């Protein structure tokens, strides 16, 4: 019987993202999908700013942008008036108060996005097996190393296959066989079910905002406009809704009926279609799966775990992040870096986000149906300043923008996300927002910062410098290198101590294998290291100023010498944006998926590594450090 | 006998760029190359900042960047000292005083760049015929429409072909059959011939600047280091030079000898090679062709017209710009937009640039051999400020940076590049640097500016908004739209007058052909129009504020509402960067290749269009305007 590390069911965004990560990290994968081809037209299409960061970190952004997607920078709101409809305001979709590299939503048809992933997966030797489906599975433990048996079949029933796997993952979408078999229920918080009509096409219109995202309310109904690649536009029309659990809505509204509705709603403007690429009518309710896994062997993610209205454009984005969250945890368990208990944080972290998403979905609708915001509120909500008095509207709107952009996603304190109260590792050198010693919050994404790479003087995005390689990222903000020379050397000395987290997980073949050209993982796959110094690039001599351990990562040494409009008075903008002292610096641990794990002070002596050993010790479930360095 | 618009000999950078432009604009092309395959390894590899702008304007930049080229931001200078060599300074390769979108040199092997062009050419139906060569040609005028006969043959002599063409272009490189046949001499200004060794490979070294461009002088000789894609580095070593015209240098230096030389020069640092991808030894002298064409039917460009040392990394860049300069002129003559005399400006404009390049080559060498610059000079030379006293060194260095980045390229005044003294068109509304009414200089590239596109709120690069479509670009800086409403409507009215330049060259089938989805050329292929208003995006209603002619270009209406650090106090930064009055605006005519043609005031009445008609009248060789509008 064939054995796989992971069997993945479904080649939509969640399955493909998981497959991409694990294939790159060397796992043996069986990936099936019950469709004969990737998505041809329609379906999800909105990539949020934070997701674009992630795709860039995976090296896939450029291929996605090569399709010339539409970019949505603003959302326009239209309401009825005596002439038909009129614009009541426009809002940045990712306002300036959010520190985003790409402050826009990227609109591209899901099939093109899927193909970018598939190409990458195939490069790493995995083929999606189509059209195949899952017919059964059980975690029978007959083979302790590959405890899950999975039965697969060609959709026409002519062929079957039974394989064993360490993990089974369902990215099957809203109708999940795996979820049904597990008996996991979907919880429907909002009792209203909606029927939506959606149509992609090329139009002719004098409606001035046809290239913007628009929410239009008129006496003839409501419509949402979303620009697309290839001069197309998507229209969402809410056709019907009901709270009656026995409601059986008509799902057969024709294309012509939807076009007629759109024409009515858009009056006094006119619209006609040159061609329709895709048209669908579907009912959708809000729902969330009670569990994402029962045994930490069989997992689910994406639409199999959460469904909601398409209005906020969050579906695919939540799927990406579900998959990345799970991928690195499986990797760390399988590589022996972490105990199996790490896997329990997949459900606790990602289910919280799905719950927030559903709450948000409801709040967002209410926000704009209540009343038209005043001009002062509009500018207040978009402002970078936080001094002004904010009313509830502005506060809610800001939170909404942060959430939809993906930057509001924050995981609660747990073993991975350090906190002053809840984390078992405690040490005087931990920094926190509460104490004002850092602006970073564990569980939130690392703040972006622009720095100069020392070896080639390239101006780079610090948060993107380590690719998605499955390693923790240790950002050493070295402060003033002259004043901190002892601290930096002490740090390296104690990192090299035989029982430190750094040494414990170093390559087994460290002394025998040639890794001269390895940039990110010269010593260990557990962690990659970046050093950022508060100095001009030309004043940094890596070999002279840094201890050997840090100098070995010569491609990851940066000068914090690029001015940033968000901290205009800072000399070392990256230090300042993290809220670290520009002279004394600090050490930031970032999880493999880009979220902050903990922040530690950089001090002379062994304290810094002691704190890091304590933090990682909790994560990896063993005692680290505690011995003197041999160096 | 087959007839072609253009026969192109040679598929290096100059031939491919010409082919790409003309194929897109619908010309019938025969393109041959005597190599069986595109460049496999080595050869030219430096793309300067201005060339990257051009490649982006051609829609090719993204495909080039997809190969992950090296980016050079700084150049390091190393000199001998008692220990071997030491760094005397580093310099930005494109310092901040140059307003560049991409302030770095892009390094990528020529073959990958060629393939990007070839793919695009093939999309437009042209196949490069290989390995074929030219065996003869003559402008015999036997067919007045296709006056040039060209004889071609397979390199193995088994097949021949004779075709007729409107134009023949030699992009054959330094050894040009066409140039020899025409009897055009190469002029060698610098009597020194050099022999260079060049080697691309993957190295191991402790030399700290191996990822920077370096010029290294040591007691053992000189070397130039240039980082490359794929973790490679190129080393140029000057092996020998002589002023003796009968000198026959040894061209057989082995790879091992060059490596030994490099090891000597780099001491006290060590270097060794993991692999060598390409190695070549070649003699090169500075030379420039006396003529680029004799009859304006048979043209030459690229290395066929100018050869020089590889030090400044200019070869391929000069080739790109030769080709684009010729392409649009052939296009305008063949479309009946301009008289044949326009073609004479190809030689006059491009030969000047080649002469500047050769002069620069000499001056650049002298600049750094004379003495080591002081720290004050270094910071002065890189500074954005122009207030400080500049000594000769700083002035020369700044001019060098401008030149090598491509932004110093400036064409002299002629029929296309308006000037207050030399141009036949004179009108009180022409603006000039002399009068302080604009900062733009005809013959120089349009200053970059960031603006907000009104229809979709996208933040865009104004200078890139019109693709390289062969049309003039009319940038209407509308100033304050309320105050200039009459001027904008008068402009449209007079543009619509029956004999204006705008109407004269409008589409023949304007009323019969559906151009609803045409964004750049709805009325005419002669010109594309952008309107930039000094207002916030949300305050601009295109249909209400602009006359119909300008509103038709709804995808090219912009809000000048993006703050720019170079004009921090300006309300309308794009207006300010052009040196136009932020309230009154102005009209900028940009040539199809991106260089400014003329700048005209925006005034109520017919004056603005009168001035434009006078300017274009000179270019197109006929009287324009002079009748009242019928509207």
């Amino acid at each position: 019987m064939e054995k796989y590390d992971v069997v993945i069911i479904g080649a939509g965004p969640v399955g493909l993202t998981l497959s991409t990560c694990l294939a790159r990290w060397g796992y043996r994968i069986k990936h099936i999908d019950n469709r004969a081809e990737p998505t041809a037209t329609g379906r999800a299409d909105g990539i949020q700013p934070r997701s674009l960061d992630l795709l860039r970190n995976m090296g896939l952004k450029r291929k996605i942008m090569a399709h010339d997607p539409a970019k949505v920078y603003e959302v326009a709101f239209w309401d009825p008036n005596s002439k038909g409809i009129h614009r009541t305001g426009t809002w940045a979709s990712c306002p300036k108060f959010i520190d985003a590299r790409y402050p826009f939503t990227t609109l591209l048809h899901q099939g093109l996005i899927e193909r970018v992933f598939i190409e990458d997966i195939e490069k790493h030797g995995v083929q999606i097996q189509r059209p195949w489906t899952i017919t059964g599975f059980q975690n029978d433990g007959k083979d302790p190393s590959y405890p899950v048996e999975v039965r697969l079949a060609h959709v026409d029933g002519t062929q079957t296959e039974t394989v064993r796997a360490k993990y089974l993952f369902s990215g099957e979408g809203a109708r999940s066989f795996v979820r049904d078999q597990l008996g996991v229920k979907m919880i429907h918080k909002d009792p209203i079910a909606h029927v939506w009509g959606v149509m992609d096409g090329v139009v002719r219109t004098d409606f001035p905002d046809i290239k913007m995202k628009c929410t239009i309310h008129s006496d003839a109904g409501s419509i949402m406009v979303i620009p697309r690649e290839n001069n197309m536009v998507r229209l969402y029309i809410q056709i019907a809704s009901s709270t009656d659990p026995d409601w059986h809505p008509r799902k057969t509204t024709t294309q012509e009926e939807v076009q007629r509705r759109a024409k009515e709603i858009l009056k006094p403007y006119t619209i006609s279609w040159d061609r329709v690429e895709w048209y669908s009518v579907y009912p959708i309710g809000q729902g969330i799966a009670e569990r994402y896994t029962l045994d930490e062997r069989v997992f689910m993610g994406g639409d199999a775990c959460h469904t909601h209205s398409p209005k906020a454009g969050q579906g695919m984005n939540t799927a990406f992040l579900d998959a990345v969250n799970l991928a690195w945890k499986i990797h760390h368990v399988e590589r022996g870096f972490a105990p199996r208990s790490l896997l329990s944080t997949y459900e606790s972290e990602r289910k919280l986000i799905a719950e927030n998403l559903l709450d948000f979905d409801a709040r967002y609708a209410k926000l704009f149906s209540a009343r038209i915001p005043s001009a002062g509120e509009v500018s207040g909500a978009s402002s970078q300043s936080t001094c002004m008095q904010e009313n509830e509207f502005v506060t809610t709107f800001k939170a909404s923008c942060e959430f939809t952009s993906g930057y509001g996603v924050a995981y609660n304190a747990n073993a991975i996300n350090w906190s002053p109260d809840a984390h078992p590792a405690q040490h005087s050198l931990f920094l926190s927002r509460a104490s004002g010693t850092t602006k970073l919050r564990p569980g939130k994404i690392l703040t972006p910062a622009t720095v100069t790479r020392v070896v080639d003087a390239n101006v780079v995005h610090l948060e993107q410098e380590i690719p998605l390689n499955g390693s923790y990222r240790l950002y050493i903000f070295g402060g003033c290198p002259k004043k901190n020379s002892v601290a930096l050397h002490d740090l390296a000395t104690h990192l090299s101590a035989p029982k430190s987290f750094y040494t414990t997980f170093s390559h087994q073949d460290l002394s025998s294998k040639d890794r001269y050209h390895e940039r990110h993982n010269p010593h260990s796959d557990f962690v990659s290291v970046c050093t950022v110094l508060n100095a001009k690039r030309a004043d940094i001599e890596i070999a002279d100023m840094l201890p050997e351990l840090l100098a070995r990562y010569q491609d990851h040494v940066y000068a914090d010498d690029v001015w940033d409009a968000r901290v205009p008075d800072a000399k070392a903008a990256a230090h300042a944006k993290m809220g670290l002292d520009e002279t004394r610096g600090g050490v930031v641990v970032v999880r493999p998926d880009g979220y902050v794990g903990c922040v530690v002070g950089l001090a002379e002596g062994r304290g810094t590594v002691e704190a890091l050993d304590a933090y990682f010790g909790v994560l990896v479930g063993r005692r680290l450090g505690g011995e003197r360095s041999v160096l």
Side-chain angles (χ1 to χ4, degrees), chain A:
Chain A
M1 204 179 288
E2 287 274 356
K3 291 176 181 178
Y4 294 92
D5 292 312
V6 190
V7 174
I8 298 172
I9 315 297
V14 72
L16 290 171
T17 307
L18 184 65
S19 207
T20 302
C21 293
L22 293 176
R24 288 177 176 195
W25 302 337
Y27 292 91
R28 187 164 153 78
I29 294 163
K30 165 77 94 180
H31 196 159
I32 67 161
D33 191 272
N34 60 13
R35 301 169 297 167
E37 297 287 339
T39 304
T41 54
R43 300 186 64 159
D45 58 3
I47 302 174
Q48 300 302 339
R50 156 66 188 137
S51 301
L52 211 52
D53 290 337
L54 173 66
L55 291 168
R56 180 167 162 209
N57 203 229
M58 298 178 77
L60 303 177
K61 172 173 163 276
R62 199 178 267 146
K63 289 194 174 167
I64 288 187
M65 300 316 268
H67 291 290
D68 281 324
K71 296 178 191 169
V72 167
Y73 278 75
E74 293 195 6
V75 184
F77 297 90
W78 289 72
D79 272 332
N81 71 357
S82 60
K83 289 179 194 159
I85 53 171
H86 73 129
R87 190 194 299 115
T88 55
T90 60
W91 302 68
S93 55
C94 184
K96 283 215 165 60
F97 72 83
I98 299 172
D99 192 356
R101 292 286 182 190
Y102 312 107
F104 49 81
T105 305
T106 302
L107 279 305
L108 188 69
H109 131 57
Q110 182 176 329
L112 296 172
I113 299 166
E114 287 177 5
R115 280 174 178 82
V116 169
F117 279 94
I118 291 168
E119 213 176 88
D120 193 82
I121 291 167
E122 290 180 349
K123 250 191 266 169
H124 292 88
V126 179
Q127 295 285 332
I128 317 284
Q129 189 172 327
R130 301 170 182 273
W132 277 63
T133 189
I134 181 167
T135 57
F137 65 93
Q138 61 194 113
N139 177 358
D140 58 19
K142 282 181 189 163
D143 176 343
S145 301
Y146 295 87
V148 187
E149 182 187 274
V150 187
R151 293 184 295 283
L152 306 170
H154 192 283
V155 291
D156 68 8
T158 52
Q159 285 170 275
T160 64
E161 231 182 287
T162 302
V163 302
R164 295 202 71 86
K166 290 180 178 161
Y167 300 93
L168 169 64
F169 181 79
S170 161
E172 298 166 279
R175 283 183 294 267
S176 166
F177 171 84
V178 171
R179 193 188 62 223
D180 286 349
Q181 292 290 305
L182 293 176
V184 170
K185 288 208 199 85
M186 291 297 277
I187 309 291
H188 296 275
K189 292 200 176 171
D190 181 349
I192 305 181
H194 301 282
V195 177
W196 288 85
V198 54
M199 183 181 291
D200 286 345
V202 175
V203 303
R204 298 182 181 224
T205 180
D206 56 356
F207 178 64
D209 288 355
I210 197 70
K211 300 209 169 177
M212 308 253 269
K213 180 170 172 182
C214 303
T215 301
I216 304 169
H217 300 294
S218 89
D219 295 334
S222 293
I223 200 169
M224 207 164 78
V225 174
I226 298 176
R228 301 287 306 266
E229 76 281 6
N230 259 334
N231 199 25
M232 284 194 295
V233 64
R234 169 170 290 190
L235 301 180
Y236 278 108
I237 297 183
Q238 199 170 312
I239 291 174
S241 57
S242 171
T243 50
D244 176 357
D246 295 322
W247 181 53
H248 291 286
R250 197 166 61 106
K251 295 170 199 169
T252 54
T253 311
T254 65
Q255 179 178 315
E256 288 69 30
E257 276 173 52
V258 169
Q259 289 176 340
R260 204 156 42 232
R261 282 282 295 279
K263 286 181 189 208
E264 280 301 314
I265 294 169
L266 280 174
K267 278 182 183 170
Y269 301 102
T270 61
I271 187 167
S272 66
W273 278 259
D274 274 15
R275 72 185 176 89
V276 172
E277 171 160 303
W278 182 63
Y279 168 71
S280 178
V281 172
Y282 60 94
I284 194 149
Q286 275 201 348
I288 191 162
E290 265 183 320
R291 302 294 310 270
Y292 282 31
T293 180
L294 299 180
D295 56 0
E296 284 149 25
R297 288 289 182 179
V298 180
F299 288 93
M300 301 177 287
D303 287 1
C305 294
H306 37 76
T307 60
H308 46 83
S309 90
K311 279 184 296 184
Q314 293 301 310
M316 185 162 56
N317 300 278
T318 310
F320 290 149
L321 294 175
D322 279 354
V324 170
N325 190 293
L326 181 59
W328 77 264
K329 292 171 183 174
I330 287 180
H331 176 53
H332 276 236
V333 168
E334 292 306 313
R335 281 294 303 267
F337 295 153
R340 299 197 58 78
S341 59
L342 180 67
L343 292 168
S344 72
T345 64
Y346 168 63
E347 178 180 293
S348 60
E349 291 194 334
R350 295 305 303 167
K351 193 163 174 238
L352 171 75
I353 303 302
E355 278 161 2
N356 290 346
L357 172 58
L358 266 57
D359 284 353
F360 160 78
D361 212 17
R363 266 186 300 130
Y364 189 74
K366 217 181 288 171
L367 186 66
F368 289 102
S369 61
R371 64 187 173 91
I372 297 167
S374 71
E377 285 171 338
V378 171
S379 77
S382 302
S383 160
Q384 222 178 297
S385 140
T386 48
C387 315
M388 65 177 294
Q389 190 70 33
E390 291 187 353
N391 67 18
E392 197 208 326
F393 179 87
V394 172
T395 309
T396 311
F397 180 77
K398 282 195 170 188
S400 300
C401 289
E402 261 205 294
F403 192 81
T404 50
S405 68
Y407 293 102
V409 169
Y411 299 129
N412 284 344
N414 60 15
I416 331 173
N417 313 315
W418 186 88
S419 73
D421 344 292
H423 201 273
Q426 294 295 330
H427 190 285
S428 60
L429 278 176
F430 278 105
L431 308 183
S432 69
R433 296 218 290 192
S435 65
T437 45
T438 177
K439 289 184 200 159
L440 298 173
R441 153 146 151 41
K444 276 202 108 168
I445 197 82
L446 180 70
T447 304
T450 303
V451 292
T452 308
R453 204 193 281 138
V454 170
V455 285
D456 61 6
N458 277 218
V459 176
V460 298
H461 294 176
L462 181 61
E463 73 282 6
Q464 288 288 348
E465 282 290 282
I466 309 285
L468 195 78
N469 60 351
S471 307
Y472 282 96
R473 303 159 185 193
L474 202 65
Y475 286 95
I476 299 165
F477 289 87
C480 287
K482 277 174 199 161
K483 294 188 183 158
N484 277 350
S485 179
V486 174
L488 287 167
H489 283 80
D490 286 353
L491 175 72
T493 302
H494 295 288
L495 284 176
S496 316
K499 298 213 170 165
S500 78
F501 72 95
Y502 194 84
T503 307
T504 299
F505 297 110
S506 67
H507 297 304
Q508 305 279 319
D509 53 2
L510 191 58
S511 56
S512 58
K513 187 169 169 186
D514 175 17
R515 287 193 174 83
Y516 181 86
H517 294 292
E518 175 56 53
R519 299 168 54 204
H520 312 302
N521 298 96
H523 301 147
S524 160
D525 287 336
F526 182 75
V527 63
S528 292
V529 180
C530 293
T531 305
V532 186
L533 300 175
N534 175 359
K536 297 271 174 216
R537 194 208 70 81
D539 297 335
I540 297 174
E541 297 290 345
I542 294 174
D544 298 348
M545 291 164 78
L546 289 182
E548 204 181 319
L549 186 147
L550 302 183
R552 174 58 188 84
Y553 294 86
Q554 72 270 26
D555 291 312
H556 289 303
V557 180
Y558 307 92
D560 193 358
D561 63 357
V562 180
W563 181 81
D564 191 307
R566 286 173 192 275
V567 285
D569 302 326
K571 186 173 161 282
H575 282 68
K577 289 182 85 175
M578 308 300 158
L580 296 172
D581 185 282
E582 294 180 40
T583 304
R584 292 197 305 274
V587 177
V588 180
V589 175
V590 175
R591 304 159 29 142
D593 53 2
Y595 294 82
V596 174
C598 70
V599 188
V600 171
L602 177 63
E604 297 184 10
R606 53 192 305 155
T608 301
V609 174
E610 266 175 10
L612 293 171
D613 278 337
Y615 167 75
F616 282 113
V618 171
L619 270 183
V620 305
R622 54 169 123 169
R623 191 173 150 70
L624 297 169
E627 278 191 21
R628 290 212 166 272
S629 162
V630 290
L631 297 183

